[in-house]
Amino acid sequence: MGWRRGLGVASIPRNSVVGMSGPGAPATACGPGPRGRRPSWAELLAGRVKRQKLDAGGEQQLRESAVRLLMRHLSLDDLMLEVEGTPRQELCLSQPSGQDSPEACALLTSSLLGSALRDQASRLGVPVAVLSSQTVAASLVQVCEVDGEPSPRVLLTAEQRGKLSPLLTIAQYLLAQSLLSRGFLCQELWKVQNSLLLEAVWHLHLQNIVSLQELLESQANMQAVVAWLFRDLRLLCEQIETSCQHANIARTMLSDFVQMFILRGFQKPLDLKGNGEPDRMPQVAAALLQKMLLFALEALAAGLQEGSPAHRAVKCWFGVLGEGTLCRAVPTDSPKRFFSHTLTQVLTHRPVLKVSDAIQMQWEWSFARTHPLLTGLYRRLLVILSPEELVGRLQEVLETHAVNWQHVLACVSTLVVCSPEAQSLVTDWVARLLARAFESYSLDSMATAFLVARQAALEGPPAFLSYADWFQASFGGARGCHGCSRKALAFLFQFLSDLVPMEAPRYLQVHILHPPLVPGKCRRLLTDYVTLAKTRLADLKVSIENMGLYEDLSSAKDVREPHSQALQDVDKAIVVFEHTGKIPATVMEASIFRRPYYLSHFLPALLTPRVLPAIPDARVAFIESLRRADKIPPSLYSTYHQACSAAEEKHPESAAAGTKEELGSAEEPLRPLTAALGELRAMMTDPSQHDALSAQMALISERLSSALGLREGDGVLAAEQKVVDLLLNSFCQNLVVASSFAPPDRQGPWATRFVMAMCGRTLLPAMLTRLCQLLRHQGPSLHASHVLGLAALAVHLGECRPALPEAHLGCGAPAWGLSIPEFLNSLLTCMTKESSLFCLRFCTAAISYSLCKFSQSRDILCSCLSPGLIKKFQFIVLRLFSEARDPLCQEDTAGLPRGPLCLLATDWQQAALCLWKHSTFWELLTERELHLTYRDWLQLELEIQPEVDSLLDTERWDFHQWAIYEHFLPKHCATGGCGGDLETACTVLIEALMDFCQSSKSYSRSEDSDFVLSGYIRNRDIFSRLQEMTAALEQGPAVAQGCAPSRGHRLVRALRRRLQARASGWDVATSLQRQQELLVYKRILLCLPPSLLLGSPQAELPTAHSCDEFFHLVTSELRNICSHGGTLSHDITLHFFRGLLNVCSQSRDPCLTADATLTACQTECPLILTSALLWWPRLEPEIRWRWERCARSPLPRGLQQLQEARQFARSVLSDTLPPAPGPAWVSAVALHHEIQRAGRTSISRELQQLDCQGEELLLPLFFSSLLGLLSSHLTPHAVDSQKALDICAEILGCLQEKKICWLGLFQLTETDANLGRVLLRLAPDQYIRLLPFAFYSLLPYFNEDTPIREDAFLRVAVNMYLKLVHLFVAGETSAVSTLASRSHEHQGQDDPVGLIAKARLFLLQLIPRCPKNSFSDMAKLLATSGDDDPEVHAALLCRLQATPDTDLYQEPCLF
């Protein structure tokens, strides 16, 4: 731009310049220059300056003339627009040296303009401030008016901004020189407001020329001001959303305006002017913000089209309200007041809907269905207002205003979706509403509580309780508000009844199936409501009877048809059956209590004809299980099989084709879900979208429900599997993307909400099944990103533990459930090299992620991870890395491996070592439950399969030596070690072995493993360590003098305590489990040194106290797994005698030690002696050999007594009768064994030879024969029971003939003296309980005079009868009856039922004949018997009342 344009010169004649009109003027001055360019003023003057030689006075005169000429023809409007950078050197005609800087040129130019304005104002006779204001305003109009631009608009072009910049500079100079008045300028601006662009006004405000407040205050018409600003702000919002070229400037401008309006419009006190009038700026700001909000709400109510101008404006306006810079730029309380006001306006906008409308329509107002702009506004409100403040404001508005229920309930949905702590807040709010409703019987409070609870429940379990759970928690217990009085109950049911015409079927079903708890006297209120609700359901053609077995009452969707629901029930039942191996309890209950639905819908859906697979699948197995349980009618099953056969003959290839078609059709419903997941991943790459992640998760939950709900029948399982795979894959990808932008602790709650969406009621089983497949079977082949994603998923599942149910592992697993973290930990194994490395990768990723994610909260960190997972990590690191076994130094600590996304195996190992050395990990291990204890290490090491171990045999031996002797043995007991006690180490190892034998892991080994223990496969290396440690114990020092004598080895004592701590009972499951553990325990004892059974050798004279623990073990435990009618097995008997002789070899007096021990056996553990009698032919050779090595003397007296008893028994059977050696019961048992070994069917002759023997021999012989009789019934290959019965009968006859009282054998107790106590310890508990069976088996052999002669006979007979009935009721006689039904030789005998009938008849005939002495103590027996047999009880009672006994009348309460 030339000088003529620059100085605003208008039509200056060429000949009017002094000294420039000579003939020598060049021609170029009159016409166009070269190429038609008009020469500049400097060029025109150049020749004159050169030719004229002026003195100092002439030069000054020339300058003054030039200035006068310019001032006469000056345009101030054009002058204002010229402060450009490039022509400044042309502007300054003569620049002094050293003043050529831009600042100096600008100052000179502004000075010239100021002088021109003064001169012009002087000529016009107006104040210079007025002229300056007019000139600046006119210049602004010139800048804003550019031809060719669309109208209306609010933004400047790039060219206009270039022109505006020098104008603003001049205006700032004029203000500084007091040549410009802000007040006059405001007046001039209002005159041209329609020609000004909003951006120009913003620049005036920004450069502090005229603030927006001053501009607005200068206008008296507030409505005009608000209308102008509203129009321009709306246009500004529209242009921002069109992706204009200068969007950043526009956003900054809008943000500045909004900040100022909020600050001024919602300031705390209203400032007053000096004249007492209120400041208009707050009123304008508040009115403008209100107008913008109303415009947005009206646009939302009218329905916005995507991309329309109104949609763009509303989106931009709501967006600027949620910017985080707003609160930082406005540090006062104004934003909170503004947003609180905004929330009130939104909630109360157009309150046309009634409560009844809300009840019917609220399912359409869920978060996913609400307009994203409205939910976006609510989310932005949550940024400024805390959830507590938002709930408080909601409550206040509902109490004081008429509300728009759609907006209120949409706000509740947004609150519970986007705020993690909202669930508790909303729950408390609803509880307060209910309490207030029942206090004042307010229908408004009650309706609000139900609407809020239902709305929150619509968002699903991740956000809130299901409606069924909430209703049951609020009204299903005795503490509910409704239970305070009958009036409260009537109020509740009246409210529910009023809702019935408007209720959705789901809510009615919830009320019927989970009714409020009602006292008996108020049941009529409940039944009336249920009748009304069922009538309404019938009108809606919905039947309670046809509800599905697994129907989700928490869903507010339409009720499915029975056939469709039955298809889903079948799929769910098959999944449960596949997991547990059992028919689901729900199906069993339906087959009994819901038989119409079961027969009419469930079975037809299950038995849909199809081509049966070659390999039976879960559906086939489920059908067969139902058939075997008689839950499928035979005719229906036959029809099903015929239809399947026909389908196979007609379409043999349909199975494969149907599968492909099903998989193809399953893709269609997943497209919306896939798109939503893709949008979520895209949001993670944009930090500005992080606040929208929660909203996107709500949309994903909605799409997820739709994807699962669109499939029916056999496609449900396939759809669930595809959905689970899609979600798992998306979670892993999202985690990788999120981790590339931010560490886990700065990624927000998206992962938690994603996991909660995956853990819905219907999807959780499928997800756990898929995780089981991935972690247990495909773990080593997973990619690193998948391992990291699944590890993070496990962490967040642990975070959501309180909201998730327990997992049941199915067959072979414990009956109790596991928490989800424990379940996932159970899927990680360390048995092989591959599984150990995968477990290391998974544990490293999970622990690293959790430490990064929850480093600030130790409680959350500990709850997210299973202690077992942290222990497995410690175990594998110590096992695989020898450097990890060294103590850590302070300088060894390293940084956490935050994101091992694409690491090789070596990198994973490096990451594991890095984590191992990190101080944060060791701080975590300060939690006691996270320590890897010695017992934990043993349990994990027992899982290792040596043949596929990552360690070589020598490496494994070195590791075991280090772990036991260097790490755990010296470690303190409080930290999981043994405290230096080798006996403790052995005890814990044995207990770990037994625990492992009882676990399901012991069944998953190959039969060619190293060590088989009682049918279980074990790692022999660990057992070798046990043998080494026990050998070291045996070589330890003897007990010092003065110390208390040992009562048995500590290992035996510890294991006996373990058995005592186990659950005891006589049911089949408990009994079998206990027998299994006893067998394992016995096998372990047999593999350990035999001297352990007798404790430590004593330095002084030996005693039998060292055997107390083993004696107690035999008497209390091993006695119950005896065979052969009550004897220990040969191996444990031999082991005891080996230990006894070993101890004797270390004793000073071997004979005394042996005799003392065997003498103690006669009273404390007689079973050892009777077992030795049975196995003596096999024991004697080794016993003699060991004794000869121990002492050069005959066998000790205790062993000689066993020999003599055996010789006596053989002599009796060989018709010679030597005197019976003592003790007599030992000889009796030896005789019983010889009779059984000889297979005698009659011993009458032998009994005649024993005629001289007393009851000391005959009673033990009779008792042994009773045990033999019971053994013949309980043992499949024992002696014929008829032969055993004959032997018992002969001995009984002998006793009756000799008038020896034998009834005491059926009443043995621990308090009996001498013989009774010994005999009781010879029989297993089961045999003692079955003595009533043996008693009445001998019924035909009782002498007729015995009941009359023996006063105790009736009491014993009644007692045996009552116990026999109890045995039958408890099912303990089933073993006898089962064997009798299978064996031909037992079929002629009475079964338990027949025996009970005979015993009952016998008693009824006996009672009238017994003398009155027989009824002593009978009253006490009847008092404890109850009504087991009313007829026998009545007969005894009648006989007692007829007997004149004064003692009976002293206890009338018994009769």
Side-chain angles (χ1 to χ4, degrees):
M1 187 176 296
W3 168 247
R4 186 172 184 274
R5 170 68 175 163
L7 287 181
V9 179
S11 303
I12 304 178
R14 291 189 302 274
N15 57 1
S16 65
V17 180
V18 178
M20 298 179 66
S21 58
T28 55
C30 300
R35 300 181 183 179
R37 181 181 66 85
R38 179 171 293 185
S40 66
W41 185 248
E43 291 174 348
L44 293 175
L45 294 180
R48 294 288 182 177
V49 173
K50 290 180 181 179
R51 280 195 291 270
Q52 292 185 0
K53 303 296 183 179
L54 299 176
D55 54 10
E59 182 176 353
Q60 179 65 27
Q61 184 181 4
L62 177 63
R63 287 181 179 178
E64 292 175 356
S65 300
V67 168
R68 285 194 299 271
L69 175 65
L70 292 174
M71 295 302 295
R72 258 195 319 266
H73 299 277
L74 186 66
S75 173
L76 293 177
D77 294 344
D78 291 340
L79 182 62
M80 285 292 182
L81 301 177
E82 184 61 42
V83 186
E84 298 186 51
T86 54
R88 280 176 185 161
Q89 49 190 341
E90 299 178 5
L91 176 66
C92 304
L93 301 181
S94 177
Q95 296 177 352
S97 176
Q99 295 183 6
D100 55 351
S101 65
E103 293 79 6
C105 292
L107 180 61
L108 181 60
T109 303
S110 301
S111 168
L112 176 62
L113 295 175
S115 177
L117 286 170
R118 290 188 187 94
D119 293 345
Q120 185 77 4
S122 177
R123 281 197 309 272
L124 296 175
V126 297
V128 64
V130 174
L131 180 59
S132 299
S133 300
Q134 293 174 348
T135 304
V136 171
S139 300
L140 283 173
V141 172
Q142 291 183 24
V143 170
C144 294
E145 290 181 348
V146 177
D147 296 336
E149 289 295 329
S151 183
R153 58 191 181 85
V154 291
L155 297 176
L156 299 170
T157 64
E159 181 182 356
Q160 288 173 320
R161 292 190 188 95
K163 293 179 180 180
L164 182 63
S165 178
L167 177 60
L168 297 176
T169 303
I170 292 175
Q172 288 175 332
Y173 172 79
L174 295 177
L175 280 172
Q177 298 299 321
S178 300
L179 299 177
L180 181 65
S181 169
R182 285 190 173 91
F184 288 130
L185 181 58
C186 289
Q187 295 176 8
E188 295 299 327
L189 290 176
W190 279 118
K191 295 177 183 178
V192 295
Q193 68 168 357
N194 293 328
S195 300
L196 291 179
L197 297 181
L198 188 62
E199 185 179 349
V201 178
W202 175 63
H203 283 293
L204 291 174
H205 171 81
L206 199 64
Q207 299 298 329
N208 200 24
I209 296 172
V210 172
S211 69
L212 189 62
Q213 179 175 353
E214 292 174 326
L215 183 63
L216 299 181
E217 290 282 354
S218 65
Q219 175 59 266
N221 190 350
M222 191 176 70
Q223 294 182 354
V225 173
V226 173
W228 169 61
L229 287 174
F230 169 72
R231 180 198 65 197
D232 284 3
L233 285 180
R234 177 178 172 182
L235 290 174
L236 179 61
C237 292
E238 293 177 6
Q239 293 183 19
I240 288 176
E241 288 300 315
T242 56
S243 302
C244 62
Q245 183 180 1
H246 304 286
N248 291 335
I249 296 177
R251 290 185 185 279
T252 304
M253 181 171 64
L254 180 62
S255 179
D256 287 348
F257 280 135
V258 172
Q259 290 175 18
M260 184 181 60
F261 291 145
I262 291 177
L263 177 61
R264 298 293 294 151
F266 291 89
Q267 58 187 355
K268 198 168 186 179
L270 288 177
D271 296 332
L272 297 178
K273 294 185 177 180
N275 56 9
E277 296 180 358
D279 193 356
R280 284 197 295 270
M281 180 61 186
Q283 301 177 36
V284 173
L288 177 63
L289 293 173
Q290 177 78 1
K291 193 174 183 65
M292 287 296 295
L293 179 61
L294 290 178
F295 156 71
L297 294 177
E298 289 293 339
L300 285 173
L304 290 173
Q305 290 185 354
E306 186 77 23
S308 65
H311 181 275
R312 294 197 303 268
V314 174
K315 181 179 180 182
C316 179
W317 181 252
F318 284 171
V320 74
L321 294 181
E323 291 180 353
T325 57
L326 185 61
C327 292
R328 294 192 294 270
V330 186
T332 65
D333 291 336
S334 296
K336 280 197 173 183
R337 284 192 289 273
F338 164 70
F339 283 107
S340 180
H341 172 78
T342 299
L343 177 61
T344 302
Q345 295 301 310
V346 173
L347 298 179
T348 58
H349 179 255
R350 296 177 64 178
V352 295
L353 295 175
K354 296 182 294 186
V355 172
S356 58
D357 301 324
I359 292 173
Q360 292 176 320
M361 301 172 60
Q362 73 175 128
W363 69 274
E364 300 177 357
W365 302 336
S366 65
F367 183 89
R369 294 174 180 266
T370 303
H371 199 287
L373 293 179
L374 183 57
T375 57
L377 174 62
Y378 289 141
R379 294 202 316 272
R380 289 166 176 85
L381 293 176
L382 275 171
V383 174
I384 307 299
L385 303 175
S386 66
E388 293 84 357
E389 292 173 328
L390 190 62
V391 171
R393 192 61 182 171
L394 270 170
Q395 184 174 351
E396 180 182 350
V397 170
L398 286 170
E399 291 174 355
T400 57
H401 296 76
V403 297
N404 183 325
W405 280 109
Q406 181 177 2
H407 289 180
V408 170
L409 297 181
C411 182
V412 171
S413 286
T414 307
L415 176 65
V416 298
V417 166
C418 299
S419 178
E421 63 269 25
Q423 179 173 349
S424 60
L425 293 175
V426 173
T427 302
D428 295 341
W429 178 27
V430 172
R432 291 195 300 271
L433 287 171
L434 288 178
R436 185 181 309 164
F438 282 100
E439 285 175 3
S440 58
Y441 299 103
S442 170
L443 289 175
D444 291 340
S445 298
M446 182 71 84
T448 302
F450 270 75
L451 284 173
V452 172
R454 290 182 180 183
Q455 189 68 26
L458 285 177
E459 305 306 327
F464 198 75
L465 297 171
S466 68
Y467 179 71
D469 292 340
W470 172 81
F471 188 81
Q472 192 169 15
S474 300
F475 305 106
R479 296 184 179 181
C481 299
H482 65 291
C484 58
S485 65
R486 180 182 178 86
K487 184 177 179 182
L489 281 172
F491 171 69
L492 172 62
F493 283 109
Q494 182 61 45
F495 173 76
L496 294 178
S497 300
D498 293 340
L499 293 183
V500 167
M502 301 170 284
E503 288 279 43
R506 287 291 188 205
Y507 296 134
L508 293 174
Q509 290 176 339
V510 169
H511 299 165
I512 294 173
L513 296 178
H514 304 287
L517 182 64
V518 175
K521 59 183 179 181
C522 301
R523 293 291 296 177
R524 180 63 182 273
L525 295 172
L526 175 60
T527 56
D528 289 346
Y529 171 75
V530 170
T531 302
L532 179 63
K534 288 185 176 181
T535 304
R536 176 60 179 166
L537 287 176
D539 295 339
L540 297 174
K541 299 181 180 179
V542 176
S543 175
I544 285 287
E545 289 74 15
N546 288 334
M547 280 186 59
L549 307 183
Y550 298 95
E551 193 163 350
D552 187 8
L553 293 178
S554 63
S555 172
K557 297 179 180 178
D558 293 337
V559 178
R560 292 178 175 271
E561 292 294 330
H563 175 69
S564 301
Q565 184 60 45
L567 294 175
Q568 284 200 349
D569 288 342
V570 167
D571 290 329
K572 297 297 181 184
I574 292 174
V575 169
V576 175
F577 174 78
E578 194 172 6
H579 281 302
T580 63
K582 301 177 182 178
I583 299 174
T586 306
V587 177
M588 296 296 289
E589 292 171 0
S591 67
I592 301 172
F593 302 108
R594 299 188 57 195
R595 197 163 182 81
Y597 173 80
Y598 179 78
L599 294 177
S600 302
H601 300 284
F602 183 80
L603 285 184
L606 175 64
L607 302 178
T608 302
R610 62 171 182 147
V611 178
L612 298 178
I615 300 176
D617 56 6
R619 192 184 192 94
V620 173
F622 181 51
I623 292 173
E624 290 301 317
S625 296
L626 287 175
R627 182 186 62 83
R628 289 193 295 269
D630 294 331
K631 297 302 178 182
I632 300 179
S635 59
L636 187 59
Y637 181 79
S638 176
T639 304
Y640 165 71
H641 256 285
Q642 293 175 4
C644 290
S645 301
E648 186 174 1
E649 294 174 1
K650 187 175 182 180
H651 301 289
E653 71 284 352
S654 62
T659 301
K660 294 180 180 179
E661 180 181 355
E662 177 182 311
L663 294 178
S665 62
E667 297 290 343
E668 185 66 26
L670 298 184
R671 290 180 182 175
L673 177 60
T674 305
L677 291 171
E679 293 172 4
L680 176 65
R681 189 158 53 254
M683 287 181 178
M684 291 182 177
T685 62
D686 185 2
S688 64
Q689 295 291 323
H690 282 181
D691 61 335
L693 292 179
S694 296
Q696 186 65 19
M697 282 308 310
L699 178 62
I700 289 174
S701 298
E702 179 72 15
R703 299 280 175 86
L704 180 60
S705 300
S706 300
L708 294 175
L710 291 176
R711 299 296 301 175
E712 296 182 357
D714 294 337
V716 174
L717 293 179
E720 287 185 352
Q721 293 172 1
K722 282 187 169 293
V723 167
V724 167
D725 289 341
L726 178 62
L727 292 175
L728 290 177
N729 192 37
S730 176
F731 182 85
C732 296
Q733 293 175 354
N734 291 340
L735 185 71
V736 172
V737 172
S739 300
S740 63
F741 285 90
D745 56 336
R746 294 204 298 269
Q747 292 178 12
W750 76 267
T752 303
R753 295 193 174 277
F754 197 105
V755 170
M756 289 300 293
M758 294 175 63
C759 297
R761 297 187 177 187
T762 59
L763 204 58
L764 182 60
M767 188 193 68
L768 294 181
T769 301
R770 187 61 175 141
L771 287 177
C772 181
Q773 295 171 350
L774 291 173
L775 299 182
R776 175 59 66 90
H777 304 293
Q778 303 177 25
S781 61
L782 291 178
H783 190 267
S785 61
H786 291 154
V787 174
L788 181 63
L790 294 177
L793 177 66
V795 172
H796 288 289
L797 284 171
E799 182 188 7
C800 304
R801 178 191 303 194
L804 300 179
E806 292 184 337
H808 295 269
L809 303 185
C811 296
W816 59 89
L818 299 177
S819 66
I820 299 300
E822 293 170 346
F823 168 73
L824 296 177
N825 174 62
S826 68
L827 302 178
L828 302 173
T829 62
C830 309
M831 292 187 293
T832 66
K833 177 180 179 180
E834 290 77 12
S835 61
S836 295
L837 292 178
F838 169 70
C839 186
L840 174 67
R841 296 168 63 195
F842 188 90
C843 294
T844 302
I847 298 173
S848 301
Y849 179 82
S850 61
L851 289 177
C852 295
K853 183 74 174 177
F854 306 109
S855 58
Q856 303 301 323
S857 178
R858 178 65 62 86
D859 294 337
I860 298 179
L861 181 61
C862 294
S863 65
C864 288
L865 295 175
S866 166
L869 185 140
I870 299 178
K871 292 177 180 180
K872 284 181 180 177
F873 174 76
Q874 301 174 63
F875 170 76
I876 299 176
V877 169
L878 292 173
R879 202 171 194 276
L880 297 184
F881 308 120
S882 57
E883 58 267 33
R885 304 170 193 170
D886 300 328
L888 288 177
C889 302
Q890 187 67 28
E891 59 271 11
D892 288 341
T893 58
L896 280 176
R898 293 210 170 206
L901 298 180
C902 302
L903 303 178
L904 302 175
T906 55
D907 296 321
W908 276 105
Q909 296 175 8
Q910 187 64 32
L913 284 174
C914 176
L915 174 61
W916 175 262
K917 296 177 181 179
H918 198 271
S919 58
T920 308
F921 174 72
W922 285 97
E923 291 174 3
L924 179 65
L925 293 186
T926 56
E927 300 290 336
R928 185 170 183 178
E929 64 271 12
L930 302 182
H931 292 166
L932 178 68
T933 64
Y934 177 52
R935 186 183 302 274
D936 298 326
W937 176 80
L938 288 171
Q939 291 173 349
L940 292 171
E941 190 67 30
L942 283 169
E943 295 182 21
I944 300 297
Q945 298 180 11
E947 62 274 11
V948 287
D949 189 11
S950 54
L951 300 181
L952 300 176
D953 291 344
T954 54
E955 294 174 337
R956 188 164 54 255
W957 187 86
D958 292 339
F959 173 59
H960 289 173
Q961 293 294 314
W962 172 86
I964 295 175
Y965 295 104
E966 297 183 36
H967 185 65
F968 291 111
L969 184 60
K971 199 173 183 180
H972 196 272
C973 295
T975 57
C978 303
D981 191 341
L982 193 58
E983 279 193 6
T984 299
C986 294
T987 302
V988 174
L989 199 157
I990 293 176
E991 291 181 350
L993 272 173
M994 297 182 68
D995 287 336
F996 193 70
C997 291
Q998 297 285 51
S999 68
S1000 58
K1001 299 175 184 179
S1002 60
Y1003 295 93
S1004 58
R1005 299 295 191 83
S1006 57
E1007 291 298 330
D1008 56 352
S1009 187
D1010 294 328
F1011 179 56
V1012 179
L1013 178 61
S1014 185
Y1016 305 101
I1017 311 302
R1018 290 291 162 272
N1019 181 357
R1020 186 169 180 80
D1021 291 343
I1022 288 294
F1023 202 83
S1024 298
R1025 303 293 88 78
L1026 174 61
Q1027 292 175 322
E1028 293 170 1
M1029 289 189 288
T1030 52
L1033 283 176
E1034 289 299 305
Q1035 297 171 1
V1039 177
Q1041 293 185 4
C1043 294
S1046 171
R1047 305 187 69 85
H1049 202 283
R1050 183 176 173 183
L1051 297 181
V1052 181
R1053 183 166 59 253
L1055 293 178
R1056 184 177 62 80
R1057 286 199 302 267
R1058 168 193 171 91
L1059 292 172
Q1060 290 176 343
R1062 290 287 183 181
S1064 59
W1066 304 117
D1067 58 284
V1068 176
T1070 305
S1071 178
L1072 290 177
Q1073 186 178 8
R1074 196 172 188 84
Q1075 289 183 23
Q1076 182 186 33
E1077 183 155 357
L1078 282 170
L1079 290 174
V1080 173
Y1081 178 39
K1082 189 183 75 170
R1083 294 293 186 271
I1084 293 176
L1085 285 180
L1086 292 175
C1087 295
L1088 297 180
S1091 54
L1092 290 180
L1093 303 182
L1094 284 84
S1096 303
Q1098 305 296 314
E1100 298 298 329
L1101 290 177
T1103 65
H1105 292 302
S1106 57
C1107 303
D1108 284 352
E1109 293 295 339
F1110 180 68
F1111 288 169
H1112 195 282
L1113 176 69
V1114 172
T1115 304
S1116 61
E1117 302 294 345
L1118 295 181
R1119 173 173 59 91
N1120 292 315
I1121 59 171
C1122 287
S1123 58
H1124 304 283
T1127 54
L1128 298 174
S1129 58
H1130 171 265
D1131 48 11
I1132 193 67
T1133 306
L1134 177 61
H1135 207 62
F1136 169 78
F1137 280 100
R1138 286 174 176 172
L1140 174 62
L1141 296 178
N1142 285 346
V1143 171
C1144 291
S1145 66
Q1146 301 173 16
S1147 176
R1148 295 179 181 179
D1149 192 338
C1151 289
L1152 185 59
T1153 300
D1155 287 338
T1157 302
L1158 294 176
T1159 301
C1161 284
Q1162 294 180 8
T1163 56
E1164 301 300 326
C1165 191
L1167 191 58
I1168 291 180
L1169 300 182
T1170 58
S1171 302
L1173 290 172
L1174 177 65
W1175 305 113
W1176 186 255
R1178 297 164 59 181
L1179 295 177
E1180 184 180 13
E1182 184 172 352
I1183 289 176
R1184 285 187 175 276
W1185 174 77
R1186 287 182 176 274
W1187 181 257
E1188 289 175 358
R1189 297 188 59 187
C1190 174
R1192 304 288 182 179
S1193 62
L1195 290 176
R1197 179 60 187 162
L1199 294 177
Q1200 291 180 10
Q1201 288 179 348
L1202 297 178
Q1203 279 186 322
E1204 293 171 354
R1206 289 269 305 168
Q1207 293 173 358
F1208 168 77
R1210 288 198 297 270
S1211 300
V1212 170
L1213 295 184
S1214 60
D1215 297 336
T1216 59
L1217 186 62
W1225 65 265
V1226 175
S1227 301
V1229 174
L1231 178 58
H1232 171 69
H1233 290 330
E1234 286 298 326
I1235 293 173
Q1236 284 191 325
R1237 185 178 291 110
R1240 296 291 182 90
T1241 58
S1242 175
I1243 57 170
S1244 56
R1245 185 167 51 84
E1246 288 77 4
L1247 289 175
Q1248 292 177 359
Q1249 295 180 12
L1250 297 174
D1251 187 61
C1252 59
Q1253 302 293 335
E1255 61 182 46
E1256 293 82 3
L1257 181 65
L1258 293 178
L1259 285 179
L1261 180 61
F1262 181 50
F1263 187 77
S1264 298
S1265 66
L1266 291 175
L1267 299 182
L1269 173 63
L1270 294 174
S1271 178
S1272 67
H1273 283 280
L1274 297 174
T1275 308
H1277 304 290
V1279 181
D1280 182 8
S1281 59
Q1282 186 58 49
K1283 295 180 180 179
L1285 182 60
D1286 293 340
I1287 298 295
C1288 288
E1290 292 181 355
I1291 301 175
L1292 176 62
C1294 180
L1295 291 173
Q1296 292 180 133
E1297 183 179 350
K1298 291 179 172 290
K1299 294 183 174 52
I1300 297 176
C1301 182
W1302 50 270
L1303 294 172
L1305 297 178
F1306 294 94
Q1307 302 287 319
L1308 297 176
T1309 62
E1310 278 289 339
T1311 59
D1312 292 342
N1314 299 328
L1315 183 60
R1317 188 165 174 263
V1318 169
L1319 295 180
L1320 185 63
R1321 295 186 174 187
L1322 289 178
D1325 290 337
Q1326 184 185 19
Y1327 284 57
I1328 297 297
R1329 292 195 306 275
L1330 287 175
L1331 280 178
F1333 181 84
F1335 181 86
Y1336 279 105
S1337 296
L1338 295 172
L1339 183 59
Y1341 305 100
F1342 293 159
N1343 289 345
E1344 293 184 0
D1345 60 337
T1346 299
I1348 308 300
R1349 187 181 68 251
E1350 297 288 347
D1351 293 339
F1353 184 87
L1354 180 61
R1355 182 173 55 82
V1356 173
V1358 171
N1359 189 20
M1360 291 292 103
Y1361 172 72
L1362 295 176
K1363 289 183 177 180
L1364 183 62
V1365 172
H1366 289 167
L1367 289 173
F1368 177 77
V1369 173
E1372 289 201 58
T1373 58
S1374 58
V1376 178
S1377 59
T1378 301
L1379 182 63
S1381 62
R1382 289 189 310 214
S1383 178
H1384 292 289
E1385 58 270 17
H1386 295 88
Q1387 289 180 357
Q1389 300 179 8
D1390 293 322
D1391 61 349
V1393 177
L1395 196 63
I1396 291 175
K1398 290 184 178 180
R1400 183 172 180 273
L1401 181 61
F1402 170 75
L1403 287 178
L1404 292 175
Q1405 295 175 351
L1406 177 64
I1407 291 173
R1409 297 190 298 114
C1410 289
K1412 70 173 184 178
N1413 294 336
S1414 301
F1415 292 91
S1416 60
D1417 297 332
M1418 191 63 68
K1420 187 182 297 184
L1421 182 62
L1422 289 179
T1424 59
S1425 66
D1427 296 331
D1428 295 328
D1429 191 325
E1431 190 173 355
V1432 173
H1433 188 277
L1436 289 171
L1437 189 59
C1438 180
R1439 189 73 173 86
L1440 281 171
Q1441 292 174 348
T1443 303
D1445 192 340
T1446 56
D1447 293 338
L1448 296 178
Y1449 297 100
Q1450 297 175 3
E1451 299 180 359
C1453 60
L1454 297 178
F1455 302 98

